[in-house]
Amino acid sequence: MSETFTINIDGKEVEATPEQTILEAARGQGIYIPTLCHYKGTTNVGACRVCSVEVENARSLVAACTMPVNPGMVVKTNTERVLDARRLIVELIWASGDHNCLTCEQNGSCELQDLVYRMGIEKPRFEIDSPGYPQEISNTMIARDLNKCILCGRCVRICNEVQVHEVLDFSMRGSKSKVGPAFDSDYIDSNCVFCGACVDACPVGAITFKQARFQGRPWEISKVRTTCAYCGVGCQMDLNIYDGKIVKVTSDPEVGLPNHGSLCVKGRFGMDFVHHPDRLKTPLIRKKGKLEEATWDEAFDYISDKLASIKEEHGPDSIAGLSSARVTNEENYLFQKFMRAVIGTNNVDHCARL
Ligand code: FES
């Protein structure tokens, strides 16, 4: 166990360890420090400075998310100087983009909006200077509006450090800085695999799920936690439901194993089959050359009768079984057991080998 020592935050003695930042030590005690660029599971970069705090004997305000604690450190999180600085930073961020909450998909779930509200800022004191970038809506899954981007870099870090796809980075310099794939291309023309992690990481409305646009406000959406059925990993996901329909899929990193909030393109965007009119909802049995709807009991009886008669007529090795990557290890185990012990053949394989 690492050594612990005491620091003072807002007059309160707080236990801390050397590997902690001021932000971690404060949050461990329920002390509020706002953040924007900080994102759990990724490197702290100190990009937004919204977490500025005063540290005794420091020359200037410091970013709580990057500053490690030291024994005897004295920190103040809510002096006038700190609150003024944070307010100025939030106003500058607001003024440097087109944060139009009326039509923004993130309205009600936007970290910048929350900060503006919490600080009681009715209007930034600076002229709003939207960069005027065209929106990227060229693919069916992710929409990007860089006019809302606050350059926090959360999407860049989740893409590079957690998903390890290394698609996103910063380009250009100064006020022209922007985030995106190489050569400023659209997602669809890049190496993006559409895992959607950048959408989850975005604290504002710069990167959103395109299919979910205008399909329900965050407060109208209910979440149903489920296990992805696309493969046997068992990723935990939240189906976001509006008006009885899945409008998007998210995943909570706090749930932990097995996916820690990550999803693949299928789990993230492959849910439109659920409401598709062509979706099979009952088994079908071909009768006189025509597929007809049947009950599950009828279907199972039909299958077992056919398997028994084929086995009797042609022997067990005339039957082969192909299992699926969409079921669990346990179900695959049971399937091979069924083929070997019940049918009596070793003709068993798995679609993942094809
Ligand atoms: Fe600390 Fe952005 S949250 S600098």
Side-chain angles (χ1 to χ4, degrees), residues 311 316 333-348:
K311 184 178 164 182
Y333 171 81
L334 287 173
F335 184 72
Q336 64 80 32
K337 193 84 179 163
F338 169 77
M339 291 304 293
R340 292 193 166 103
V342 179
I343 304 289
T345 180
N346 287 323
N347 293 341
V348 57

Side-chain angles (χ1 to χ4, degrees), residues 23 34-38 45-52 63-66:
L23 181 71
T35 54
L36 275 177
C37 69
H38 170 75
V45 291
C48 72
R49 318 308 281 190
V50 158
C51 65
S52 291
C65 68
T66 51

Side-chain angles (χ1 to χ4, degrees), residues 268-342:
R268 180 77 75 174
F269 295 106
M271 291 298 144
D272 38 358
F273 74 90
V274 174
H275 307 293
H276 200 281
D278 292 347
R279 184 180 176 189
L280 293 182
K281 299 196 181 90
T282 63
L284 301 176
I285 296 178
R286 194 177 299 279
K287 291 179 185 162
K288 295 187 187 141
K290 217 173 135 230
L291 287 170
E292 288 181 15
E293 287 189 2
T295 65
W296 283 104
D297 281 345
E298 285 169 340
F300 286 133
D301 286 348
Y302 182 83
I303 292 167
S304 63
D305 289 350
K306 283 282 178 198
L307 285 176
S309 67
I310 294 169
K311 184 178 164 182
E312 198 177 305
E313 216 174 308
H314 304 286
D317 282 336
S318 63
I319 300 171
L322 185 67
S323 189
S324 167
R326 295 184 66 157
V327 300
T328 62
N329 282 343
E330 290 77 6
E331 287 160 333
N332 275 313
Y333 171 81
L334 287 173
F335 184 72
Q336 64 80 32
K337 193 84 179 163
F338 169 77
M339 291 304 293
R340 292 193 166 103
V342 179

